[in-house]
Amino acid sequence: MREIEYREAIREAVIEEMNRDPKVFLIGEDIGKYGGAFRAYKGLLDMFGPERVINTPISESAIIGAGIGAAVTGYRPIAEIMFIDFTTLAMDQIVNQAAKIRYMTGDNLRCPLVIRTQGGAGRGVAAQHSQSLEAWFYHIPGLKVAMPSTPYDVKGLLKTAIRDDNVVMFIEHKMIYLLKGPVPEEEYTIPFGVADIKREGSDVTIFAYSNMIYKALEAAGQLEKEGINVEVFDPRTLVPLDEEALINSVKKTNHLVVVSEACERGSVASDIAVKITAKAFDYLDAPVKIVAGLNTPIPYNSTLEQASIPHAKDIVKAVKEII
Amino acid sequence: MREIEYREAIREAVIEEMNRDPKVFLIGEDIGKYGGAFRAYKGLLDMFGPERVINTPISESAIIGAGIGAAVTGYRPIAEIMFIDFTTLAMDQIVNQAAKIRYMTGDNLRCPLVIRTQGGAGRGVAAQHSQSLEAWFYHIPGLKVAMPSTPYDVKGLLKTAIRDDNVVMFIEHKMIYLLKGPVPEEEYTIPFGVADIKREGSDVTIFAYSNMIYKALEAAGQLEKEGINVEVFDPRTLVPLDEEALINSVKKTNHLVVVSEACERGSVASDIAVKITAKAFDYLDAPVKIVAGLNTPIPYNSTLEQASIPHAKDIVKAVKEII
Amino acid sequence: MPGNKKTINSKILNDIQNKNDNNITNNNIKLNGSKTSDKKEINYLSSMTEVIDKDKKYKEKKLTGEQKINLLRTIIKIRRFEEKTIQLYQIAKIWGYLHPYVGEEAVAAGACAAIDRHDYIVSTHRGHGHSIAKGADLNRMMAELFGKATGYCKGRGGSMHIADTELGMLGANGIVGGGLPISVGAGFSCKMEGKGRVTLCFFSDGATNNGVFHESLNMAAIFKLPVIYVCENNMYAISMSVCESVACKDIAKRAVSYDIPGVIVDGSDPEEVYFAVLKAVLRAREGLGPSLIEAKTYRFGGHHPNDPAEYRDKKEAEYYKTEKDPVKNYKARLIDEKVVTIQAIEDMEKQIMQEVENSVKFAEESPEPSLEKFLEEVSGI
Amino acid sequence: MPGNKKTINSKILNDIQNKNDNNITNNNIKLNGSKTSDKKEINYLSSMTEVIDKDKKYKEKKLTGEQKINLLRTIIKIRRFEEKTIQLYQIAKIWGYLHPYVGEEAVAAGACAAIDRHDYIVSTHRGHGHSIAKGADLNRMMAELFGKATGYCKGRGGSMHIADTELGMLGANGIVGGGLPISVGAGFSCKMEGKGRVTLCFFSDGATNNGVFHESLNMAAIFKLPVIYVCENNMYAISMSVCESVACKDIAKRAVSYDIPGVIVDGSDPEEVYFAVLKAVLRAREGLGPSLIEAKTYRFGGHHPNDPAEYRDKKEAEYYKTEKDPVKNYKARLIDEKVVTIQAIEDMEKQIMQEVENSVKFAEESPEPSLEKFLEEVSGI
Ligand SMILES: Cc1ncc(C[n+]2csc(CCOP(=O)(O)OP(=O)(O)O)c2C)c(N)n1
Ligand SMILES: Cc1ncc(C[n+]2csc(CCOP(=O)(O)OP(=O)(O)O)c2C)c(N)n1
Ligand SMILES: [Mg+2]
Ligand SMILES: [Mg+2]
């Protein structure tokens, strides 16, 4: 199968959906001629024109509001917040408006809105450009949360997000836009709430998502040499969560390590760990282990930055502690 | 001992600290003549004048920014966001600026800022005025999080918050402002990170905070009649958390129920549960049980609203499930 | 739809061109009264009075008797509905937050009369008047305030969240200014659709100090979105006087920042509101972009039914209630103009009271929302 | 401190009163050039040219030779420092995000010359120039860019977070507009302290479309805070042209919304910037509140060192680089005015280059921050 970059897969998904449905449009900062901060929208302005590729001022609240207003009146906008760190400037619109509008109006208004953004550390861009804030959105009823790790997943999930009648936080990772992977030429979509086993194994399940999948796979490779057979579990969407598949994996491996790049305190990892501990208690041979980021604003200095987020070695260590 | 209202205890703390330290000032919406949305600042404008009781327009970002700018230049502001739901309009200033400024400048700037706000359901004020969002702040390094449940605690903790050199999210609850409790006339402060056992018991520990303390005490009363002896554990501050005291309580009772009013998915309760499961595993006779709010925007209708948040009966049920 | 409308629009636009020459345009600021002054009452009154005096001429033209009667009916309907909700709030039949629109009725009535049924409105926490003026069913509104299953939001939303797709009512809002960014999206929708639809966005003085006001008007202006921004300057944001909260003397002036028309009207006069909004609507339908209309108005009661509004000058409130009551004044004017008789007004009042009472009955008799359904639904969120 | 200063201030204020009559005041908008126009270059140039021509007179007065030389030194120092950081970025000695200030040096130099050492500044993601103009130590700056323990932030912050309490530098900022609300707090602090201290807040065109701009200027205006808002309108926000992003034609016009002075200056001319800021500073020190100064300037390079800036018209960039280079122009002017000799400038350049090279050496030789200390510290957050 042909291999394309993660950002190219995004671009393909958007083009296909825009061609399919004239109600889909794009709005965000520097998405016109510039093609988006990570160039996922390269050439789209020429293809679809400024009416459907709307390049905005630096007005995060108005960008999301524009998405909401268009969505409740029949359009299917994809609004972009350049860095997840900047969602802080639009939280009212995301959380009090978009997420709630359907429920607090008794299903009178519907809001088919995709909010594309990206997070994560690793580029030396310091405390205000490196956060992993998915826990915030995970906590808010009314938001679906997708965190694709591969070109294949990002394309299939983005298409599903665009067709969903609810608000989807679509969170990418800045370290993987250039990463290549197999993506079929034929059309496909990936349903929400269906996990993907990125590597099968029998001794321990590593739950990871987004860029942490690669750390988990790296760890799995190292552990294999020591005879430990690792299953790498990618939920792909955190909301909805494929709990059933995770429980099944744990039934098989009897061990679970949950990995998240986000700051450990109050991260999604805790929530996953607690849920599985409660629901698969009888299948666990050891307490669930969490591997997450340090509780610190991400520092600029590269050594300190790397020390702040999980690596394969941390996962290896965690696995060995419970096996 | 004399008994005073929760809001009166806040007022006393503020008056004492403003008299003690001329650098302390207040800023927020309707805190002048109006005395604050819950009248905790009644009369303060007359006492301290408009230079120290700064009544602002509806500009949540600028309110927090005003706090930060004054704090890094030597003042000790108490900035008020009327409802925790409105922190959504100031998240950049709270999370990217205030919380990080000390760490990302290598301790070059310090930000002794208290952000007072209140949350919680129960008043029929629906989805945008009833949230419990402490999990967001709990997740962000650089923020301390206080959630006092009694007049005594709110006074002692607020005084400590004002004297702290860091950013404190001081989160009150709209249902308890009129609640009365004993508060000594003499000055006192309560250190952060020191829990309070609101009721001693030997069979099960109920971890609860803010308004949920009262549900826990109610549940304890009911369970006592059935011969179950409940310990009600109030952390008072979520960051820092008095883990040691909690572990000690669990060592004694061997059972833990964690209660939070917030939506269950990704709530602080999960994080507490996971931490104690990991650290007190050998003392637990049963898995930690969580009692939390439903994953829903809070509805207006009173029956549905009440169904969305935990009650004593839910806690009783949880206790019985693990005992 | 826009086809022949356009030519008609242009004609009307011409007709009313000379009205509202108190526009603030970009190159040439010309504002009535409201000089910096210590006495805020005078400050306010003067600016409104001037507008009224200068524009006497429009009174003799344009509106048909039927239109005027419709305006009056809407104003009275809002007033009676609001008075009823306050009563019901005080006996705890309605709970949560309730923000009465009493005193401001002419703004919603005049503004909504200038748009069509298929146009959109975006409302606020003080939104009953907007819904009623847009044509909402009082039964479903009252049922919502009672938290009943038959309400616009099935009892989920209450006063601050009334919304209806059919009605083009995109939502009241519990967040001050929360609707402003949403109006931008509705504006994009209208523009992309290309059928001349417009969006009317209401908000009050307090909202104009929030960042979203700025972002929204700037974005609407850049993209020439067909949105009419109607600021109901009722002089207060809870206890905060507009004189202390808005740095410039008239909110309409803020239009300069977006290079759009800024207009001041007397918000107690439904016809003045109507013509100003109509002009902005026609402009918007022709693709010329948004306008900002500041309607000077007054909240007769406190911020909510239990607020004694002690922060206000009693004389100020008295003045507005006696001199600027849209119900009293517009009744008197239409009688004066012989558009209606006293008897006709009495009949109208009776009919409206009946409608309001019916809505209460409907609400009381409506079923509570199903807890089971709710729990089932929640499990899927 | 403010005692006799005040009288001196008033005098200077009088002296320069007639300058900058391109103020935008509330009641009387009077703006130079920049008519709505299709050709954006002309749009820009005309407005600047007018200012320069009209205000020729100030050139003959006020600034001493020493002051002029100091301005020149600052401008050159910023330029050489930035050129060096770009080089170092390209060989990956500096990483993360770097936003060079090349082309805009005269704004920081002129503005910071108009305040005292104890005054505060609030900066942006493009902040090196502001720090240098405020008197920052190049060694500690460069060490920070290298992520070293000796940097202003001990390597924690990097380019976007340089800050220093001693220097009154309240922080660069990775969030566009993020510093604006902070300036309000610094303003409150200055006001409460009552010693005449002021805060200078820098930001660029893109930030003026964010809600925080509006909230901050409104709040500063209401409370008459001593803050000078200096908008470095470099015509772009990454790829977004100011002509497309700001709905009004000149950002200074937005002052109308806050009833404060709005001034346009040529940002390539340090003296013009200096006088405009000085006037605003004196106003602020006397308790008359904030001002908004729009310095028309240009970012010579891309948004960051790897941005080829393909979204810009090459001719436009060429024009600014040849006609509006603050380094070249100010050198020429001072030579023309016989304030400096060519030789003196060469010496100055040499000395500055030495300082810059020293800073690189210092940064390279400085220790990395301690990982142990970091981990220990983190355990307490
Ligand atoms: C963002 C936000 N801040 C504060 C509040 C609390 N609050 C509710 S209404 C109100 C005053 C609103 O004033 P204005 O916009 O003038 O509307 P009015 O009540 O006069 O109609 C405030 C501060 C809120 N709901 N939302
Ligand atoms: C709130 C926010 N939105 C978007 C960005 C991404 N971003 C970084 S710099 C920039 C452009 C800023 O433009 P301007 O304010 O004109 O400053 P300039 O780069 O011209 O100095 C953008 C959009 C950001 N850092 N913060
Ligand atoms: Mg108001
Ligand atoms: Mg710029």
Side-chain angles (χ1 to χ4, degrees), chain D residues 37-219:
Chain D
S37 152
D38 291 332
K39 298 192 194 146
K40 57 186 170 181
E41 295 103 319
I42 291 170
N43 181 1
Y44 258 84
L45 305 188
S46 68
S47 78
M48 293 202 308
T49 314
E50 270 190 59
V51 175
I52 295 162
D53 289 347
K54 231 196 316 192
D55 293 319
K56 259 187 198 135
K57 49 186 182 315
Y58 80 82
K59 286 186 194 168
E60 285 98 71
K61 39 173 171 164
K62 248 68 70 217
L63 282 181
T64 65
E66 197 190 326
Q67 285 176 306
K68 287 172 190 259
I69 290 169
N70 283 339
L71 280 178
L72 181 63
R73 185 179 294 113
T74 304
I75 289 173
I76 297 176
K77 202 193 256 193
I78 298 172
R79 173 69 55 91
R80 300 306 163 225
F81 184 84
E82 289 299 65
E83 286 170 344
K84 179 56 78 180
T85 62
I86 295 169
Q87 277 174 28
L88 291 164
Y89 191 83
Q90 264 139 5
I91 57 168
K93 289 268 184 187
I94 297 174
W95 62 99
Y97 286 143
L98 187 83
H99 304 100
Y101 197 64
V102 175
E104 310 185 26
E105 298 89 346
V107 187
C112 289
I115 59 170
D116 294 340
R117 188 167 167 97
H118 68 276
D119 292 320
Y120 298 121
I121 67 167
V122 172
S123 171
T124 69
H125 60 287
R126 201 176 298 286
H128 301 172
H130 310 138
S131 284
I132 293 173
K134 189 77 200 331
D137 175 20
L138 298 195
N139 286 0
R140 292 183 67 190
M141 283 183 69
M142 195 60 91
E144 188 56 36
L145 301 182
F146 275 63
K148 295 298 182 77
T150 52
Y152 270 113
C153 312
K154 303 188 185 135
R156 300 286 167 84
S159 169
M160 289 189 294
H161 303 297
I162 291 175
D164 190 44
T165 300
E166 293 277 290
L167 208 60
M169 160 64 174
L170 304 184
N173 214 309
I175 304 298
V176 172
L180 280 152
I182 297 175
S183 77
V184 175
F188 273 119
S189 174
C190 296
K191 190 185 169 195
M192 287 189 279
E193 189 192 36
K195 292 186 176 161
R197 209 195 289 242
V198 303
T199 298
L200 206 58
C201 179
F202 293 100
F203 52 97
S204 184
D205 48 291
T208 73
N209 298 318
N210 200 287
V212 293
F213 167 83
H214 182 64
E215 292 190 5
S216 303
L217 269 76
N218 186 56
M219 209 179 280

Side-chain angles (χ1 to χ4, degrees), chain B residues 25 27 51 54-57 59-62 65-66 69-70 73 75 92-93 96-97 103-106 108-109 141-142, chain D residues 120 152-154 156-157 161 163-165 170 173 175 178 181-182 185-186 188-189 191-193 212 215 219 222-223 381:
Chain B
F25 72 92
I27 184 162
E51 285 249 322
I54 302 172
N55 201 29
T56 70
S59 307
E60 280 78 8
S61 285
T73 56
Y75 285 80
D92 170 57
Q93 291 295 312
N96 290 333
Q97 313 296 337
Y103 303 98
M104 74 190 170
T105 65
N108 202 321
L109 298 183
Chain D
Y120 298 121
Y152 270 113
C153 312
K154 303 188 185 135
R156 300 286 167 84
H161 303 297
D164 190 44
T165 300
L170 304 184
N173 214 309
I175 304 298
I182 297 175
F188 273 119
S189 174
K191 190 185 169 195
M192 287 189 279
E193 189 192 36
V212 293
E215 292 190 5
M219 209 179 280
I222 286 171
F223 294 104
I381 303 185

Side-chain angles (χ1 to χ4, degrees), chain A residues 29 60 86 89, chain D residues 125-126 174 176 204-207 234 236-238 303:
Chain A
E29 294 162 19
E60 279 78 8
F86 313 157
L89 289 148
Chain D
H125 60 287
R126 201 176 298 286
V176 172
S204 184
D205 48 291
N234 59 8
Y236 289 90
I238 306 187
H303 176 64

Side-chain angles (χ1 to χ4, degrees), chain A residues 61-62 65-66 73 93 97 106 108 142, chain C residues 152 154 163-165 173 178 185 189 215:
Chain A
S61 284
T73 56
Q93 292 296 310
Q97 313 297 337
N108 203 322
Chain C
Y152 270 112
K154 303 187 185 137
D164 190 45
T165 300
N173 214 309
S189 173
E215 291 190 7

Side-chain angles (χ1 to χ4, degrees), chain A residues 265, chain B residues 103 137-138 140-146 164-171 192 237-240, chain D residues 380-381:
Chain A
R265 185 169 56 229
Chain B
Y103 303 98
F137 305 106
Y138 180 81
I140 299 299
L143 298 177
K144 297 187 176 178
V145 181
D164 198 296
D165 266 353
N166 297 289
V167 186
V168 178
M169 289 297 302
F170 198 86
I171 307 176
F192 277 19
T237 55
L238 293 174
V239 181
Chain D
I381 303 185

